Amino acid sequence: MAINLRKGQKVDLTKNNPQLKKIVIGLGWEVNAANFDLDASAFLLGTDGKVTNGGDFIFYNNLKHSSGAVEHLGDNLIGADTGDAEEILIDLAKIPAEIAKIDFAVTIFEAEERQQNFRQIKNAFIRVLDATNNSELLRYNLNEDFTIETAVIVGELYRHGGEWKFSAIGTGFSGGLAALGRNYGLKTENKTASISVALYPAVKIDIKKLAAMKNSTLSDIVNDALKIYIESHRQEIKQYDDKIKNAGGKIYGEN
Protein backbone atom coordinates (compact mmCIF):
# COMPACT_ATOMS: atom_id res chain seq x y z
CA MET A 1 0.00 0.00 0.00
CA ALA A 2 1.38 3.41 -0.99
CA ILE A 3 2.45 5.86 1.71
CA ASN A 4 0.89 9.32 1.58
CA LEU A 5 3.37 11.99 2.64
CA ARG A 6 2.92 15.45 4.12
CA LYS A 7 5.20 18.40 3.42
CA GLY A 8 8.55 17.89 5.14
CA GLN A 9 7.96 14.20 5.80
CA LYS A 10 10.71 11.72 4.96
CA VAL A 11 10.53 8.01 4.25
CA ASP A 12 13.01 5.17 3.62
CA LEU A 13 12.94 3.69 0.14
CA THR A 14 15.61 1.00 0.08
CA LYS A 15 16.30 0.12 3.74
CA ASN A 16 13.23 -2.06 4.04
CA ASN A 17 13.04 -2.74 0.32
CA PRO A 18 16.55 -3.93 -0.67
CA GLN A 19 15.38 -5.41 -3.97
CA LEU A 20 14.39 -1.96 -5.21
CA LYS A 21 16.74 -1.10 -8.08
CA LYS A 22 14.84 1.18 -10.44
CA ILE A 23 12.14 3.68 -9.61
CA VAL A 24 9.89 6.00 -11.58
CA ILE A 25 9.20 9.53 -10.41
CA GLY A 26 5.75 10.48 -11.65
CA LEU A 27 4.61 14.12 -11.60
CA GLY A 28 1.14 15.37 -12.38
CA TRP A 29 -1.11 18.42 -12.17
CA GLU A 30 -4.37 19.90 -13.39
CA VAL A 31 -4.90 23.26 -15.12
CA ASN A 32 -8.03 24.87 -16.52
CA ALA A 33 -6.34 26.93 -19.24
CA ALA A 34 -5.19 25.55 -22.58
CA ASN A 35 -2.10 27.74 -22.82
CA PHE A 36 -0.40 26.37 -19.69
CA ASP A 37 2.88 24.59 -20.41
CA LEU A 38 4.56 22.91 -17.44
CA ASP A 39 7.87 21.06 -17.46
CA ALA A 40 9.34 18.59 -15.00
CA SER A 41 13.08 18.49 -14.37
CA ALA A 42 15.68 16.85 -12.11
CA PHE A 43 18.86 18.25 -10.58
CA LEU A 44 21.67 15.87 -9.58
CA LEU A 45 23.40 17.52 -6.63
CA GLY A 46 26.53 17.13 -4.54
CA THR A 47 26.72 17.42 -0.77
CA ASP A 48 26.75 21.22 -1.20
CA GLY A 49 23.34 21.13 -2.87
CA LYS A 50 24.76 22.31 -6.21
CA VAL A 51 25.19 20.77 -9.65
CA THR A 52 28.71 20.06 -10.88
CA ASN A 53 27.94 21.10 -14.45
CA GLY A 54 25.06 21.67 -16.85
CA GLY A 55 24.86 17.94 -17.56
CA ASP A 56 23.49 17.39 -14.06
CA PHE A 57 20.35 19.30 -15.06
CA ILE A 58 17.89 16.83 -16.64
CA PHE A 59 15.03 18.41 -18.58
CA TYR A 60 13.27 18.27 -21.97
CA ASN A 61 16.48 18.97 -23.88
CA ASN A 62 18.97 17.02 -21.79
CA LEU A 63 16.89 13.89 -21.38
CA LYS A 64 19.46 11.48 -19.96
CA HIS A 65 22.36 11.88 -17.54
CA SER A 66 25.78 10.79 -18.78
CA SER A 67 25.85 8.06 -16.10
CA GLY A 68 22.59 6.60 -17.37
CA ALA A 69 21.17 6.90 -13.85
CA VAL A 70 18.47 9.47 -14.63
CA GLU A 71 16.30 9.60 -17.75
CA HIS A 72 13.49 12.02 -18.49
CA LEU A 73 10.76 10.00 -20.18
CA GLY A 74 8.66 13.00 -21.18
CA ASP A 75 5.41 11.74 -22.65
CA ASN A 76 6.69 8.16 -22.95
CA LEU A 77 4.97 7.17 -19.71
CA ILE A 78 5.62 3.73 -18.25
CA GLY A 79 2.30 3.15 -16.50
CA ALA A 80 -1.02 3.09 -18.32
CA ASP A 81 -3.66 5.56 -17.15
CA THR A 82 -1.34 6.80 -14.43
CA GLY A 83 -2.45 10.41 -14.35
CA ASP A 84 1.21 11.40 -14.56
CA ALA A 85 1.96 14.33 -16.85
CA GLU A 86 5.67 13.50 -17.02
CA GLU A 87 7.90 10.76 -15.63
CA ILE A 88 11.58 10.40 -14.77
CA LEU A 89 13.27 6.98 -14.56
CA ILE A 90 15.95 6.47 -11.89
CA ASP A 91 18.44 3.58 -11.85
CA LEU A 92 19.65 3.68 -8.24
CA ALA A 93 22.69 1.50 -8.88
CA LYS A 94 24.02 3.87 -11.56
CA ILE A 95 23.83 7.09 -9.55
CA PRO A 96 27.44 8.35 -9.25
CA ALA A 97 28.97 8.25 -5.77
CA GLU A 98 29.46 12.02 -5.76
CA ILE A 99 25.72 12.62 -6.16
CA ALA A 100 24.19 13.05 -2.70
CA LYS A 101 20.65 13.86 -3.75
CA ILE A 102 18.35 14.46 -6.69
CA ASP A 103 15.73 17.21 -6.56
CA PHE A 104 12.62 17.10 -8.73
CA ALA A 105 10.95 20.33 -9.84
CA VAL A 106 8.14 21.64 -12.02
CA THR A 107 8.28 25.01 -13.81
CA ILE A 108 5.75 27.01 -15.83
CA PHE A 109 6.99 27.96 -19.30
CA GLU A 110 6.63 31.70 -20.11
CA ALA A 111 4.86 32.21 -16.79
CA GLU A 112 5.57 35.93 -16.47
CA GLU A 113 4.59 36.71 -20.05
CA ARG A 114 1.33 34.80 -19.68
CA GLN A 115 0.72 36.05 -16.13
CA GLN A 116 0.56 32.51 -14.79
CA ASN A 117 1.58 31.00 -11.46
CA PHE A 118 1.05 27.94 -9.30
CA ARG A 119 -2.07 29.40 -7.68
CA GLN A 120 -3.83 28.42 -10.92
CA ILE A 121 -2.62 24.81 -10.78
CA LYS A 122 -4.63 22.21 -8.89
CA ASN A 123 -4.05 18.68 -7.63
CA ALA A 124 -0.30 18.67 -8.25
CA PHE A 125 1.53 15.60 -6.98
CA ILE A 126 4.71 13.58 -7.09
CA ARG A 127 4.82 9.85 -6.61
CA VAL A 128 7.43 7.09 -6.58
CA LEU A 129 6.84 3.76 -8.30
CA ASP A 130 8.77 0.51 -8.42
CA ALA A 131 9.79 0.39 -12.10
CA THR A 132 9.68 -3.40 -12.21
CA ASN A 133 5.96 -3.70 -11.56
CA ASN A 134 4.62 -0.11 -11.62
CA SER A 135 3.43 -0.42 -8.02
CA GLU A 136 3.11 2.93 -6.25
CA LEU A 137 5.39 3.17 -3.22
CA LEU A 138 4.58 6.67 -2.04
CA ARG A 139 2.75 9.84 -3.02
CA TYR A 140 2.91 13.47 -2.00
CA ASN A 141 -0.06 15.66 -2.91
CA LEU A 142 0.81 19.36 -2.88
CA ASN A 143 -1.89 21.12 -0.91
CA GLU A 144 0.07 24.33 -0.35
CA ASP A 145 -1.52 27.69 -1.12
CA PHE A 146 0.91 29.02 -3.70
CA THR A 147 0.62 32.62 -4.91
CA ILE A 148 3.23 34.17 -7.21
CA GLU A 149 5.43 31.07 -7.52
CA THR A 150 6.29 29.93 -11.04
CA ALA A 151 8.53 27.00 -10.08
CA VAL A 152 8.23 24.40 -7.33
CA ILE A 153 10.73 21.94 -5.92
CA VAL A 154 8.37 19.04 -5.36
CA GLY A 155 10.47 16.29 -3.80
CA GLU A 156 13.96 15.04 -3.13
CA LEU A 157 15.68 11.65 -3.35
CA TYR A 158 18.74 11.55 -1.07
CA ARG A 159 21.38 9.25 0.38
CA HIS A 160 21.29 8.42 4.09
CA GLY A 161 23.55 5.86 5.73
CA GLY A 162 24.13 4.02 2.46
CA GLU A 163 20.41 3.86 1.71
CA TRP A 164 18.05 6.04 -0.30
CA LYS A 165 15.26 8.10 1.26
CA PHE A 166 12.64 10.44 -0.14
CA SER A 167 11.54 13.80 1.23
CA ALA A 168 8.39 15.78 0.39
CA ILE A 169 9.56 19.36 -0.25
CA GLY A 170 6.88 21.61 -1.80
CA THR A 171 9.02 24.77 -1.90
CA GLY A 172 8.06 27.46 -4.42
CA PHE A 173 10.13 30.04 -6.31
CA SER A 174 9.21 33.14 -8.22
CA GLY A 175 11.34 33.74 -11.30
CA GLY A 176 10.75 30.34 -12.84
CA LEU A 177 13.57 28.30 -14.33
CA ALA A 178 16.11 31.11 -13.96
CA ALA A 179 15.61 31.37 -10.19
CA LEU A 180 15.62 27.61 -9.85
CA GLY A 181 18.87 27.31 -11.81
CA ARG A 182 20.59 29.92 -9.68
CA ASN A 183 19.47 28.09 -6.55
CA TYR A 184 21.28 24.98 -7.76
CA GLY A 185 24.40 26.78 -9.00
CA LEU A 186 23.84 26.35 -12.72
CA LYS A 187 26.59 28.19 -14.57
CA THR A 188 24.43 29.15 -17.54
CA GLU A 189 22.85 32.33 -18.73
CA ASN A 190 19.46 31.17 -17.48
CA LYS A 191 17.98 34.65 -17.18
CA THR A 192 19.11 35.59 -20.68
CA ALA A 193 17.90 32.26 -22.00
CA SER A 194 14.47 32.76 -20.44
CA ILE A 195 14.17 36.20 -22.04
CA SER A 196 15.23 34.81 -25.41
CA VAL A 197 12.67 32.02 -25.25
CA ALA A 198 9.98 34.51 -24.30
CA LEU A 199 10.81 36.64 -27.35
CA TYR A 200 10.70 33.66 -29.66
CA PRO A 201 7.96 31.19 -28.64
CA ALA A 202 8.97 28.88 -31.48
CA VAL A 203 12.33 28.34 -29.82
CA LYS A 204 10.99 25.78 -27.37
CA ILE A 205 9.83 23.63 -30.27
CA ASP A 206 13.30 23.85 -31.78
CA ILE A 207 14.84 22.98 -28.42
CA LYS A 208 12.79 19.79 -28.28
CA LYS A 209 14.01 18.95 -31.80
CA LEU A 210 17.54 19.26 -30.43
CA ALA A 211 16.80 16.87 -27.55
CA ALA A 212 19.41 14.42 -28.84
CA MET A 213 22.19 16.91 -28.13
CA LYS A 214 24.30 16.07 -25.10
CA ASN A 215 26.71 18.02 -22.92
CA SER A 216 25.33 21.40 -24.00
CA THR A 217 24.53 24.26 -21.66
CA LEU A 218 21.08 25.80 -21.71
CA SER A 219 22.55 28.96 -23.24
CA ASP A 220 24.24 27.00 -26.06
CA ILE A 221 20.99 25.20 -26.83
CA VAL A 222 18.94 28.39 -26.87
CA ASN A 223 21.52 30.15 -29.05
CA ASP A 224 21.44 27.27 -31.53
CA ALA A 225 17.64 27.35 -31.54
CA LEU A 226 17.67 31.11 -32.13
CA LYS A 227 20.00 30.63 -35.08
CA ILE A 228 17.56 28.12 -36.56
CA TYR A 229 14.66 30.50 -35.99
CA ILE A 230 16.48 33.51 -37.45
CA GLU A 231 17.63 31.54 -40.48
CA SER A 232 14.08 30.35 -41.18
CA HIS A 233 12.74 33.91 -40.82
CA ARG A 234 15.56 35.73 -42.56
CA GLN A 235 13.27 37.25 -45.21
CA GLU A 236 10.91 38.67 -42.55
CA ILE A 237 13.84 40.13 -40.64
CA LYS A 238 15.17 41.75 -43.84
CA GLN A 239 11.78 43.30 -44.57
CA TYR A 240 11.66 44.68 -41.03
CA ASP A 241 15.15 46.16 -41.43
CA ASP A 242 14.15 47.75 -44.74
CA LYS A 243 11.10 49.37 -43.11
CA ILE A 244 13.30 50.87 -40.40
CA LYS A 245 15.72 52.23 -43.00
CA ASN A 246 12.88 53.68 -45.06
CA ALA A 247 11.54 55.36 -41.91
CA GLY A 248 14.84 57.15 -41.44
CA GLY A 249 16.15 54.72 -38.87
CA LYS A 250 13.30 55.30 -36.43
CA ILE A 251 11.86 52.42 -34.45
CA TYR A 252 8.11 51.90 -34.60
CA GLY A 253 6.29 53.95 -32.00
CA GLU A 254 8.87 56.75 -31.92
CA ASN A 255 7.84 60.30 -32.77
Side-chain angles (χ1 to χ4, degrees):
M1 184 174 180
I3 300 173
N4 289 311
L5 301 181
R6 300 181 303 275
K7 183 175 181 178
Q9 190 174 357
K10 300 174 175 61
V11 65
D12 286 309
L13 277 178
T14 58
K15 185 176 182 180
N16 299 316
N17 197 10
Q19 78 278 9
L20 189 64
K21 304 300 180 184
K22 293 183 178 181
I23 60 174
V24 174
I25 305 296
L27 301 108
W29 49 78
E30 293 179 8
V31 292
N32 294 323
N35 65 337
F36 262 87
D37 188 357
L38 285 81
D39 299 299
S41 56
F43 296 83
L44 283 74
L45 311 170
T47 54
D48 61 352
K50 307 295 182 183
V51 297
T52 300
N53 54 62
D56 290 340
F57 172 36
I58 306 302
F59 67 122
Y60 54 78
N61 183 69
N62 184 31
L63 293 175
K64 192 171 184 178
H65 191 259
S66 58
S67 66
V70 181
E71 182 177 1
H72 194 308
L73 300 177
D75 297 328
N76 300 316
L77 306 184
I78 289 178
D81 300 323
T82 62
D84 299 340
E86 295 190 6
E87 292 180 342
I88 299 172
L89 178 64
I90 310 290
D91 188 333
L92 298 173
K94 291 183 179 180
I95 299 176
E98 65 272 16
I99 300 301
K101 53 188 176 180
I102 303 174
D103 280 14
F104 304 98
V106 176
T107 56
I108 304 174
F109 179 66
E110 289 189 335
E112 294 182 1
E113 292 73 22
R114 299 177 182 179
Q115 298 183 335
Q116 297 171 344
N117 55 57
F118 270 87
R119 175 185 284 178
Q120 301 159 285
I121 296 169
K122 307 298 181 183
N123 300 321
F125 67 86
I126 184 171
R127 65 186 192 132
V128 179
L129 300 88
D130 185 337
T132 61
N133 56 21
N134 294 336
S135 62
E136 185 174 300
L137 303 175
L138 60 89
R139 174 184 289 259
Y140 166 42
N141 295 314
L142 281 76
N143 298 316
E144 289 72 20
D145 294 325
F146 293 112
T147 55
I148 62 172
E149 293 85 355
T150 55
V152 174
I153 302 172
V154 187
E156 180 177 88
L157 179 70
Y158 68 100
R159 295 184 194 267
H160 181 76
E163 302 290 347
W164 287 101
K165 300 183 72 173
F166 184 88
S167 176
I169 305 295
T171 299
F173 285 78
S174 59
L177 184 61
L180 201 60
R182 289 193 295 271
N183 177 69
Y184 289 120
L186 272 176
K187 298 178 180 178
T188 57
E189 297 291 336
N190 283 313
K191 187 172 183 181
T192 301
S194 298
I195 293 172
S196 299
V197 172
L199 290 173
Y200 298 96
V203 165
K204 187 174 180 183
I205 298 173
D206 289 326
I207 288 177
K208 289 188 175 181
K209 289 180 181 178
L210 298 172
M213 292 176 60
K214 302 299 181 193
N215 301 320
S216 296
T217 66
L218 184 57
S219 296
D220 290 338
I221 294 165
V222 170
N223 286 336
D224 287 343
L226 283 173
K227 289 177 183 177
I228 294 172
Y229 181 89
I230 291 171
E231 186 62 33
S232 63
H233 293 76
R234 187 169 296 281
Q235 186 60 35
E236 296 174 29
I237 294 171
K238 183 179 183 303
Q239 291 175 354
Y240 179 81
D241 288 340
D242 290 341
K243 287 182 180 180
I244 292 177
K245 291 178 182 178
N246 294 335
K250 294 181 180 180
I251 304 298
Y252 297 127
E254 290 186 351
N255 295 321

